[in-house]
Amino acid sequence: MSNSSSDRARVNSDYFSLFQDFLQNYVDDYREKKYMKRIKEMLFHEKKSIPIDYEDIARYSDELLLALDRDPQIALEALSEAIKSIVEGIDEKYAMKIRKFYGRLTSWVRPTPIREMRSDLLNKLVMLEGIVVKSIQPKGKLVKATYVHTLPDGVQHEFTWPPDDRELEEMERPTYCPKCAAELLEEEGEFLRRGSFRLILDKSIFIDWQLLAIQERPEDTPPGQPPRSIYVVLSEDIVDTVRPGDRVTSIGIVKLTRGNRKMSLLHDLYIEANNIIPAQRHLEEVMISPEDEAKIVELSRDPMVRRKIVASIAPAIHGYWDLKEAIAILLFGGVPKHLADGTRIRGEVHILLIGDPGTAKSQLLQYASRIAPRGLYTTGKGSSAAGLTAAVVRDRQTGEFSLEAGAMVLADGGIVAIDEIDKMREEDRVAIHEAMEQGSVTISKAGIHARLSARASVLAAANPKRGRYIDNLGISENINLPITILSRFDLIFIIKDIAEIDKDRQVVRHILDVHSTEEARAEIPPDLLRKYIAYARKYVRPRIMDEAKKIIENYYIELRKRSAADPNVPLAITTRQLEALIRLSEAHARMALKNEVSAEDSLEAIRLMNTVLEKVGLDVETGMVDIDIIMSGRAKSFRDKEILILEQIREHSKRGECTKYSELEKIAESLDVDHTALEKIIHDLKKSGDIYEPKTGCYMAVEE
Ligand code: ADP
Ligand code: MG
């Protein structure tokens, strides 16, 4: 379609020959003509672009480098034409078929932080690193329009617009017919005298086009500040190569949006991408030098290394040893398993803190997200429309539906600290199950279907439902989260603000110390700790050894046996806890960079699990550990009483009578069930559809 000689007229001929020379003659370290090889590969695979490495250009010619730096638009255009001219020499037919070839830069001088995008970079080539936070579905963009010019006598001319080698910039109407040179006079929408012009979409040329937004990476965002983002436009073969949540590097030219009419002086910067490259997933962003590695290995040989790590977690916060150890375990994480049938057993450890206000929960979360090599701090409400998982939202810029990644997707491969998780959006309440267990978010809305990766460890905090944690209510009554979500946490900690003079004095002194010296000494400097964690996550994959297996097995069987022997003993543990124990043991081994999970690791995992089960899973009435409290929200003893009360209502219902509240009160009293508990039982029975309230304060059983 395009006429190559006229195309070339527009191209800067100096740049064109420089690039032609570079492509034809650049020889790499293997003495191969690297770019001729790439062009031939491109032809073989019927592609239309080749990667161009910045280092090669820099090595080959200062002039080319300068050209790309000074006027990248013109230089890249010349590069396109140079590729085309070489293709013409190899396969003329293919050169005719492809409208435009692209040289896609794989890198540029240095990355520009998204935060530092300013107007002085306009029309410059930049390289940005960020995370794709939203993407709008690919579109066809009109670049060459075909029109039919119909003269009053019925004669028709077909022509393309723009008539030169330009592409359409905006939706411009033709001003004349290139075939007969008749000018187009438009008056009140009517084409006068010289006939009419009609756009023929079928015969026009469209290219693939897509709009994305990329956001600075959590590790680049200054603490306490909202992350910045920028729009990126992709076209042709790089469309649809990245998804929300992907970490990418994009090289492109800084442009200005057209702006809206009302405020025409203000325009946003955006990037017209020459290339976008997804980072290899799980590529560790923390740079570890050989000196760092020596320090890391030395530290791991210290017999006290784990104590030192735990002591270095939020040193400004006094106490909470077990909790800090659990946070350390979460930061290191277990090893994910990929089974032959395609299922994945997660390695991410999830921890929930439920606690009274002012017990340093938020502080701990913020610290953990800062020390984690890839950490993100957010609140249950989320810091964007996408919340904790993902959302399909209408983009303000374009009015289109776009897919936006939420916190767990952005923290893929790292940890996400979710403060006030009990306040999360309804959509997240549904989607977070999949995110926490399978490490993915599936979304299907407004014609957008996608599955995003969300393998993040969750460190969450919640305030008790009634302001303070009430001991004799059991966990699910104290928190505004469904059991299905609670049961996905490997460990749940309850933090109560109890006045204990000795402890209080220590805390006060500690806080005063921190405030007066403005430092909390960590045994391991935060920078080294972060590198240590990154190193462990990357290189250490501990395997469970027989001794450790035996210990876990015995513990599991022992607890199950107790329930099996006596139906009155509640179920203490399920396979969920078993998997959690394995993860915790692996993470504990990782903390000392051990490749084998040994007895000490599984014993410590069991110790942590026990403290949690005792506090959280404790049936407040019988004092026995009851996993049902976490797993189903109700202790066995409570459920037994509920059944007795339901039986009473059923008895009455059989006689066609409803049971009055006052009668239930009497029964409750005999069962030692207080008012709050009775209200709850009635509420639950109504919710489960066992009873209904035909008139206020009187209950009937639904027929079985
Ligand atoms: P929460 O999120 O649990 O409501 P915050 O994290 O906001 O609590 O903590 C409130 C303040 O109390 C913070 O400044 C925190 O540093 C301080 N604080 C609470 N408990 C401790 C502690 N054990 N040691 C040191 N500081 C503490
Ligand atoms: Mg808080």
Side-chain angles (χ1 to χ4, degrees):
M1 147 87 235
S2 77
N3 172 337
S4 49
S5 61
S6 84
D7 272 2
R8 231 155 272 161
R10 173 179 53 111
V11 166
N12 180 308
S13 59
D14 290 345
Y15 295 167
F16 173 77
S17 18
L18 276 168
F19 271 119
Q20 220 177 22
D21 182 51
F22 166 76
L23 294 169
Q24 281 169 336
N25 301 319
Y26 180 83
V27 179
D28 66 10
D29 297 341
Y30 306 100
R31 314 193 64 75
E32 267 188 300
K33 292 196 169 174
K34 183 173 177 178
Y35 291 99
M36 290 307 285
K37 195 173 158 205
R38 285 192 177 171
I39 289 175
K40 283 175 193 147
E41 278 165 7
M42 170 181 86
L43 289 176
F44 181 77
H45 295 290
E46 301 198 356
K47 298 244 160 73
K48 51 173 111 174
S49 70
I50 57 166
I52 306 275
D53 298 324
Y54 152 74
E55 297 80 11
D56 296 343
I57 294 182
R59 220 191 294 176
Y60 195 77
S61 149
D62 286 348
E63 278 172 280
L64 276 183
L65 204 57
L66 218 60
L68 282 167
D69 185 45
R70 281 215 193 113
D71 32 34
Q73 185 88 42
I74 296 172
L76 288 173
E77 219 42 71
L79 172 59
S80 275
E81 284 305 321
I83 296 172
K84 183 160 196 162
S85 74
I86 293 170
V87 175
E88 275 165 0
I90 306 172
D91 182 346
E92 211 179 331
K93 264 200 205 141
Y94 194 67
M96 294 284 282
K97 199 170 102 188
I98 303 297
R99 194 187 63 91
K100 188 172 178 183
F101 291 91
Y102 294 88
R104 301 213 181 266
L105 294 167
T106 55
S107 167
W108 186 233
V109 190
R110 74 180 72 82
T112 302
I114 293 177
R115 203 155 270 278
E116 284 166 26
M117 291 295 296
R118 295 285 183 279
S119 312
D120 56 355
L121 290 171
L122 191 61
N123 297 322
K124 293 287 178 204
L125 197 57
V126 293
M127 172 162 80
L128 303 179
E129 293 168 338
I131 301 181
V132 178
V133 282
K134 68 179 157 189
S135 73
I136 288 172
Q137 281 193 297
K139 304 196 166 307
K141 182 190 175 207
L142 183 61
V143 288
K144 234 6 159 184
T146 294
Y147 281 90
V148 170
H149 173 208
T150 312
L151 288 165
D153 59 8
V155 175
Q156 294 195 326
H157 299 136
E158 195 176 289
F159 65 91
T160 58
W161 193 266
D164 48 24
D165 50 286
R166 281 187 310 122
E167 288 178 359
L168 279 170
E169 291 280 324
E170 296 176 22
M171 200 51 225
E172 49 179 294
R173 277 267 174 77
T175 49
Y176 64 94
C177 169
K179 293 275 167 70
C180 66
E183 280 184 38
L184 182 76
L185 299 174
E186 191 178 355
E187 265 174 33
E188 291 172 356
E190 289 285 323
F191 296 110
L192 300 177
R193 285 195 299 250
R194 306 289 177 95
S196 66
F197 290 74
R198 192 159 50 88
L199 175 65
I200 313 286
L201 281 182
D202 284 353
K203 291 190 174 174
S204 299
I205 297 177
F206 290 85
I207 58 166
D208 289 334
W209 184 95
Q210 189 177 29
L211 186 65
L212 302 176
I214 66 175
Q215 189 176 81
E216 59 189 351
R217 302 174 300 189
E219 58 268 31
D220 299 336
T221 310
Q225 291 196 32
R228 297 266 174 84
S229 61
I230 190 164
Y231 280 96
V232 176
V233 167
L234 310 182
S235 49
E236 303 238 41
D237 54 349
I238 52 174
V239 163
D240 233 4
T241 53
V242 295
R243 287 179 310 175
D246 281 350
R247 292 174 164 246
V248 296
T249 300
S250 182
I251 293 115
I253 300 174
V254 182
K255 299 260 171 131
L256 284 179
T257 58
R258 263 187 284 147
N260 58 35
R261 272 185 207 110
K262 279 178 235 143
M263 301 261 277
S264 57
L265 295 182
L266 299 180
H267 301 262
D268 290 323
L269 296 174
Y270 75 95
I271 305 294
E272 199 172 274
N274 164 262
N275 202 2
I276 192 156
I277 309 152
Q280 224 178 328
R281 291 192 162 265
H282 280 285
L283 187 86
E284 211 49 74
E285 277 77 22
V286 178
M287 296 289 277
I288 298 169
S289 67
E291 298 90 80
D292 293 332
E293 187 172 348
K295 275 194 222 163
I296 289 168
V297 172
E298 193 200 309
L299 181 58
S300 74
R301 296 212 176 106
D302 185 335
M304 302 294 270
V305 59
R306 293 199 192 89
R307 288 195 70 83
K308 286 189 174 171
I309 291 172
V310 175
S312 304
I313 304 280
I317 305 298
H318 176 83
Y320 299 140
W321 186 267
D322 285 347
L323 174 54
K324 286 184 181 182
E325 181 178 350
I327 291 176
I329 279 179
L330 174 142
L331 291 171
F332 282 86
V335 182
K337 319 276 180 336
H338 300 274
L339 307 184
D341 67 355
T343 43
R344 172 183 182 271
I345 300 178
R346 68 176 154 102
E348 295 84 33
V349 172
H350 303 315
I351 296 177
L352 174 66
L353 327 179
I354 308 172
D356 293 345
T359 47
K361 297 185 299 297
S362 301
Q363 290 278 342
L364 282 165
L365 259 60
Q366 276 173 1
Y367 194 90
S369 68
R370 279 204 303 271
I371 203 86
R374 202 184 258 186
L376 190 88
Y377 175 89
T378 185
T379 66
K381 288 188 202 109
S383 38
S384 75
L388 299 179
T389 53
V392 171
V393 289
R394 207 181 267 281
D395 185 63
R396 259 183 297 146
Q397 198 86 9
T398 60
E400 296 277 334
F401 283 110
S402 71
L403 177 58
E404 252 190 82
M408 287 200 63
V409 174
L410 298 182
D412 183 39
I415 82 139
V416 57
I418 309 175
D419 211 346
E420 312 198 351
I421 190 174
D422 46 322
K423 303 202 175 64
M424 73 179 139
R425 308 175 311 158
E426 274 316 306
E427 299 93 301
D428 285 334
R429 276 178 192 259
V430 178
I432 204 164
H433 294 96
E434 184 196 347
M436 288 180 75
E437 207 58 54
Q438 273 82 42
S440 58
V441 174
T442 312
I443 195 154
S444 187
K445 207 179 147 192
I448 294 180
H449 307 275
R451 181 165 198 176
L452 307 173
S453 204
R455 294 157 304 178
S457 302
V458 176
L459 175 61
N463 286 316
K465 202 151 76 178
R466 295 174 177 81
R468 281 189 175 266
Y469 197 91
I470 299 169
D471 269 332
N472 48 11
L473 272 185
I475 178 163
S476 60
E477 278 305 289
N478 267 296
I479 184 172
N480 182 22
L481 276 183
I483 299 304
T484 47
I485 293 178
L486 286 182
S487 69
R488 275 168 172 78
F489 287 97
D490 297 295
L491 296 172
I492 300 178
F493 286 86
I494 296 166
I495 312 177
K496 277 183 293 192
D497 191 6
I498 311 168
E500 285 175 54
I501 298 308
D502 284 348
K503 202 189 112 221
D504 288 348
R505 187 157 286 138
Q506 282 176 7
V507 173
V508 169
R509 288 205 180 129
H510 191 86
I511 294 179
L512 288 176
D513 268 359
V514 171
H515 279 249
S516 57
T517 58
E518 276 189 49
E519 68 170 325
R521 288 203 52 80
E523 296 221 27
I524 306 169
D527 196 42
L528 178 60
L529 182 55
R530 184 180 301 112
K531 287 176 177 167
Y532 187 97
I533 296 169
Y535 184 91
R537 289 174 72 109
K538 194 168 178 187
Y539 298 112
V540 185
R541 303 180 73 76
R543 293 179 61 86
I544 298 224
M545 306 314 285
D546 286 344
E547 207 189 358
K549 270 189 201 157
K550 200 81 210 151
I551 290 170
I552 293 177
E553 187 186 311
N554 287 346
Y555 173 75
Y556 184 72
I557 298 296
E558 189 49 44
L559 285 182
R560 298 287 292 191
K561 244 199 265 172
R562 278 197 236 158
S563 326
D566 179 356
N568 289 322
V569 174
L571 207 55
I573 190 172
T574 73
T575 47
R576 277 245 163 97
Q577 281 73 40
L578 180 62
E579 281 180 10
L581 275 177
I582 297 169
R583 272 192 289 277
L584 299 176
S585 313
E586 288 166 346
H588 189 263
R590 249 187 183 172
M591 267 168 91
L593 306 190
K594 290 195 324 181
N595 278 310
E596 298 183 345
V597 178
S598 52
E600 55 162 358
D601 303 309
S602 45
L603 286 173
E604 187 57 17
I606 288 172
R607 189 188 72 78
L608 275 175
M609 177 75 72
N610 269 340
T611 55
V612 168
L613 283 182
E614 276 163 20
K615 276 198 188 135
V616 175
L618 194 70
D619 181 340
V620 288
E621 288 189 42
T622 64
M624 278 191 276
V625 173
D626 185 353
I627 202 66
D628 264 8
I629 295 183
I630 306 176
M631 300 303 272
S632 70
R634 269 179 263 163
K636 188 171 184 304
S637 60
F638 189 75
R639 233 176 23 228
D640 292 345
K641 290 177 181 174
E642 189 176 271
I643 291 168
L644 287 175
I645 288 173
L646 177 60
E647 287 304 318
Q648 294 290 333
I649 301 176
R650 284 200 176 131
E651 282 299 310
H652 287 149
S653 301
K654 281 195 191 124
R655 284 174 278 162
E657 298 163 8
C658 67
T659 316
K660 288 208 190 73
Y661 187 78
S662 52
E663 286 173 66
L664 289 178
E665 262 180 326
K666 271 184 229 143
I667 304 163
E669 209 175 322
S670 71
L671 291 171
D672 209 19
V673 169
D674 66 13
H675 272 282
T676 335
L678 177 62
E679 303 253 337
K680 163 143 177 59
I681 289 176
I682 293 174
H683 176 260
D684 286 352
L685 288 175
K686 280 208 300 205
K687 213 165 134 194
S688 59
D690 285 311
I691 63 170
Y692 64 105
E693 198 173 345
K695 56 184 190 219
T696 318
C698 207
Y699 305 92
M700 284 286 264
V702 174
E703 271 180 58
E704 282 169 284

